[in-house]
């Protein structure tokens, strides 16, 4: 089975879910721990679905994402993903790219509905009723629901992307193609004609576009060249032999943008390598002001340092 993020469903969670299929369980919580999706808290059925859902927000906190497997009164299941705005970028990326693995491992036929939310109250009885009303009425989606729908689309793209497990030799993962101007700029970068390229994702055209391309005169100009209010990919020649890839995602970035840039980051780096851009160093920042000359030199020195010689045998 292909695992899009490399995360697997643990035997403990699989066994707990199998048991819950024939037990009075209302909610199974699941969290990503290290390289596996592990079981968390559980909530028994104490009444009807709506009565029980009001206890669900108490299972959640303001910074830790999780999955919620909710057994409906019909015996089928709702798959809910809770990703608070304050969660780390990497955690948001993992939960988005692992959802398909979880549903496939546990059995997609059991799940007849799914929700996404960033606030605890969205998983209460009222939140669930609002979700169902919109689904059943076909009413226009709110901004938050549009964001959730877009994230589900990204999850689907990541799930459908080929992986090493599918024995395909040239894996890209989820990919937005390069706009012609972006491809031209990256070819210049690869040749060394310019030493800096800043790229953005245009969600309307679903392409990676060039935001700025040129040559910086010093490492200190790098922080000034990357915006502090929007995520970006950046490529920079630190010296004639070292290329740096920077993923910048400010704390103010919306959940939707975080998911987009996180989901398509790997595909972009593969595309860049196909244009003969070797990313020797990869860095991630949430504040471009941290990208100082001293910080770059320290990171590159640490990552390129030769390993210590093995200890002498007695």
């Amino acid at each position: 089975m292909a695992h899009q993020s490399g995360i697997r469903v643990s035997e403990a969670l699989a066994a707990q879910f199998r048991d819950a299929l024939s037990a009075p369980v209302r909610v199974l919580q699941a969290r990503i721990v290290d390289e596996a999706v592990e079981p968390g808290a559980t909530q028994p059925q104490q009444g009807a679905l709506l009565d029980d859902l009001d206890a669900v927000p108490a299972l959640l906190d303001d910074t830790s994402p999780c999955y919620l497997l909710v057994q409906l009164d019909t015996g089928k299941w709702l798959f809910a993903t809770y990703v608070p705005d304050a969660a780390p970028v990497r955690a948001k990326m993992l939960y988005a790219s692992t959802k398909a693995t979880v549903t496939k491992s546990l059995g997609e036929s059991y799940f007849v509905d799914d929700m996404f939310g960033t606030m605890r109250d969205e998983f209460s009885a009222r939140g669930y009723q609002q979700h169902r009303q919109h689904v059943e009425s076909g009413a226009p989606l709110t901004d938050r629901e549009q964001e959730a729908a877009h994230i589900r689309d990204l999850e689907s793209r990541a799930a459908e992307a080929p992986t090493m497990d599918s024995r395909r030799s040239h894996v890209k993962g989820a990919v937005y193609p390069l706009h012609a101007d972006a491809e031209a700029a990256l070819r210049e970068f690869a040749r060394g004609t310019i030493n800096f390229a800043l790229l953005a994702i245009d969600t309307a055209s679903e392409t990676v576009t060039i935001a700025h391309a040129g040559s910086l005169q010093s490492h200190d100009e790098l922080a000034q060249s990357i915006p502090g209010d929007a995520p970006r990919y950046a490529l920079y020649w630190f010296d004639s032999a070292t290329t740096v890839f920077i993923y910048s995602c400010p704390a103010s970035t919306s959940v939707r943008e975080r998911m987009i840039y996180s989901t398509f980051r790997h595909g972009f780096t593969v595309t860049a390598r196909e244009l003969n851009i070797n990313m020797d160093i990869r860095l991630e920042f949430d504040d471009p002001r941290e990208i100082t000359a001293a910080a770059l030199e320290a990171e590159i020195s640490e990552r390129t340092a030769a390993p210590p010689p093995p200890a002498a045998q007695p």
Side-chain angles (χ1 to χ4, degrees), residues 123-157:
F123 301 94
S124 65
R126 182 180 180 184
Y128 175 72
Q129 285 178 307
Q130 290 175 338
H131 160 72
R132 290 308 310 165
Q133 285 171 0
H134 278 290
V135 170
E136 293 168 5
S137 68
L141 299 178
T142 64
D143 289 344
R144 184 171 293 277
E145 288 168 334
Q146 289 177 357
E147 182 175 288
H150 194 91
I151 290 169
R152 286 195 295 272
D153 179 57
L154 295 180
E155 291 169 347
S156 176
R157 291 174 185 229

Side-chain angles (χ1 to χ4, degrees), residues 92-126:
K92 294 180 178 183
M93 175 185 70
L94 285 178
Y95 276 84
S97 58
T98 304
K99 175 191 167 187
T101 295
V102 178
T103 55
K104 288 180 181 178
S105 296
L106 298 180
E108 291 180 309
S109 62
Y110 294 115
F111 299 99
V112 295
D113 193 8
D114 69 273
M115 289 179 62
F116 175 91
T118 61
M119 298 186 297
R120 291 187 293 175
D121 287 347
E122 292 179 81
F123 301 94
S124 65
R126 182 180 180 184

Side-chain angles (χ1 to χ4, degrees), residues 183-263:
E183 181 174 347
L186 291 187
R187 290 189 184 280
E188 285 191 55
F189 181 87
R191 289 194 296 267
T193 309
I194 59 175
N195 70 6
F196 176 72
L198 184 70
L199 299 111
I201 292 177
D202 182 351
T203 55
S205 64
E206 297 192 340
T207 59
V208 178
T209 63
I210 190 72
H212 177 72
S215 290
L216 307 184
Q217 301 304 309
S218 71
H219 300 325
D220 286 319
E221 291 183 23
L222 192 56
Q224 304 166 18
S225 303
I226 299 176
D229 59 355
R232 291 291 185 267
Y233 303 139
L235 291 166
Y236 179 59
W237 281 103
F238 179 79
D239 54 34
S240 61
T242 309
T243 304
V244 181
F245 169 70
I246 297 171
Y247 169 42
S248 174
C249 190
S252 60
T253 302
S254 69
V255 173
R256 177 173 178 265
E257 284 190 303
R258 286 177 188 271
M259 290 293 187
I260 291 171
Y261 277 79
S262 294
T263 299

Side-chain angles (χ1 to χ4, degrees), residues 69-91:
L69 313 181
V70 182
Q71 187 166 196
L72 306 176
D73 289 338
T74 60
K76 292 293 187 177
W77 291 75
L78 161 73
F79 191 100
T81 306
Y82 170 61
V83 181
D85 289 335
V89 174
R90 174 170 168 75

